[in-house]
Amino acid sequence: MPSLSTVRVSNASYKPTYIPTAVFVGGTSGIGAAMASSFAHVTNGNANIIIVGRSRSAGTSLIATFPSPPASAKHEFVEIQDATDMDQVQSLTQTLVSAFPSINFLVLSIGYLNLGGRDETAAGIDKGLAVSYYSRWKIIKDLLPTLTAARGTGQDVSVLSVLAAGEGAKIDLDDLGLKKTYSIGNSMGSGPTYTDLALEKFASTNPGIRFTQSFPGLVRTQVLRQTHWLIRPILSLIMAIMATSAEDSGEYQLFALLDGITGDGVSKTQGGAFRCGPKGDDLHGKAYFGDDEAREKVWKHTEETIAAATSK
């Protein structure tokens, strides 16, 4: 398990000979913003950096803190108001593909907290799973041409879904999407397992690209704003005592994104599906609940669910 100082040195060693393009979906605050900021400083601004989120003011304020880009690079904000809406997700990916035909790094850290019952989108998808899994799957799927384009030129390509690797649970293959057996626990356990299986499938058909799910652990972010005011003080105290800062977590997560590219995980440079913990450490088989049958069934279910939820 690497120390924070080791991680920072490793991240700083990333010195590409080309201008990389990095997309941070959910990059206006928290871990995503911290990762984007670290990446901007590691590259000294010499990269195309796209921040995707709801708040334009937050996105542009973040970009203003980056080192100024050269004329050949762009630092931009792209808006999406509702990541549970697959039509909005599709509009987002169409915009990105048109503007950036070659993408090296894709980070997905959009969040949604629901401590109540099942809350569905207009298309009938649980909103928690829509954000943690379905929209992320669609973003990856739609951006694959840009990722393979970058890899086709010999450039580094890595996808990171910041979620809950190693925290998944056994899934019910007869109730994918949790229409019948929804609970907060089932939702929180299903998303990571769906993600494990989907990233394995993506990796199997896209050699040379690294697909990683990570678990950042307890991190001090703005997620507390979504909790009930009665429990917020207690959670704030727990976070103050036990949680990692978003900035430090961002360094570890950037390490997870770049590891294998910077030389710390040579075996990972050929691509594949990976899982890592709060310090960028490999989780191997911890809380893994996949097999061939589950992988294929989850993939088919996902394709059908997203097709039904997309009108365009």
Side-chain angles (χ1 to χ4, degrees), residues 34 58 130 171 237 246 272:
I171 57 176
L237 179 60

Side-chain angles (χ1 to χ4, degrees), residues 41-58:
H41 286 87
V42 161
T43 58
N44 197 31
N46 192 24
N48 294 312
I49 303 175
I50 301 90
I51 305 299
V52 178
R54 288 185 297 179
S55 173
R56 182 171 294 276
S57 61

Side-chain angles (χ1 to χ4, degrees), residues 16-184:
T17 57
Y18 50 86
I19 296 176
T21 297
V23 177
F24 297 87
V25 183
T28 57
S29 64
I31 297 170
M35 288 184 69
S37 179
S38 181
F39 185 79
H41 286 87
V42 161
T43 58
N44 197 31
N46 192 24
N48 294 312
I49 303 175
I50 301 90
I51 305 299
V52 178
R54 288 185 297 179
S55 173
R56 182 171 294 276
S57 61
T60 54
S61 294
L62 175 65
I63 289 171
T65 68
F66 296 169
S68 298
S72 54
K74 300 177 181 178
H75 297 169
E76 297 184 357
F77 173 79
V78 178
E79 182 177 335
I80 181 170
Q81 280 298 315
D82 185 0
T84 71
D85 184 332
M86 296 304 137
D87 284 332
Q88 287 194 37
V89 172
Q90 182 152 298
S91 294
L92 166 67
T93 57
Q94 289 173 340
T95 296
L96 293 173
V97 169
S98 177
F100 301 96
S102 177
I103 293 175
N104 301 90
F105 301 110
L106 174 59
V107 176
L108 305 161
S109 62
I110 40 179
Y112 177 86
L113 180 64
N114 175 26
L115 298 179
R118 182 181 174 93
D119 184 13
E120 291 189 349
T121 68
I125 301 173
D126 173 65
K127 288 183 178 179
L129 285 173
V131 169
S132 67
Y133 175 66
Y134 295 102
S135 65
R136 298 185 189 208
W137 185 96
K138 181 167 176 57
I139 291 169
I140 296 171
K141 185 73 161 55
D142 289 355
L143 296 185
L144 274 176
T146 70
L147 300 169
T148 55
R151 187 59 186 168
T153 62
Q155 296 179 4
D156 305 318
V157 182
S158 182
V159 176
L160 177 68
S161 183
V162 182
L163 187 59
E167 301 296 318
K170 184 176 177 59
I171 57 176
D172 184 348
L173 296 181
D174 295 321
D175 188 31
L176 296 174
L178 303 179
K179 288 278 190 177
K180 304 172 185 175
T181 59
Y182 179 86
S183 70
I184 295 174

Side-chain angles (χ1 to χ4, degrees), residues 169-215:
K170 184 176 177 59
I171 57 176
D172 184 348
L173 296 181
D174 295 321
D175 188 31
L176 296 174
L178 303 179
K179 288 278 190 177
K180 304 172 185 175
T181 59
Y182 179 86
S183 70
I184 295 174
N186 283 348
S187 179
M188 293 179 67
S190 295
T193 297
Y194 292 177
T195 300
D196 280 340
L197 299 172
L199 295 188
E200 288 173 351
K201 182 74 170 181
F202 278 125
S204 71
T205 55
N206 296 278
I209 299 177
R210 185 178 175 198
F211 297 88
T212 304
Q213 178 185 183
S214 70
F215 174 52

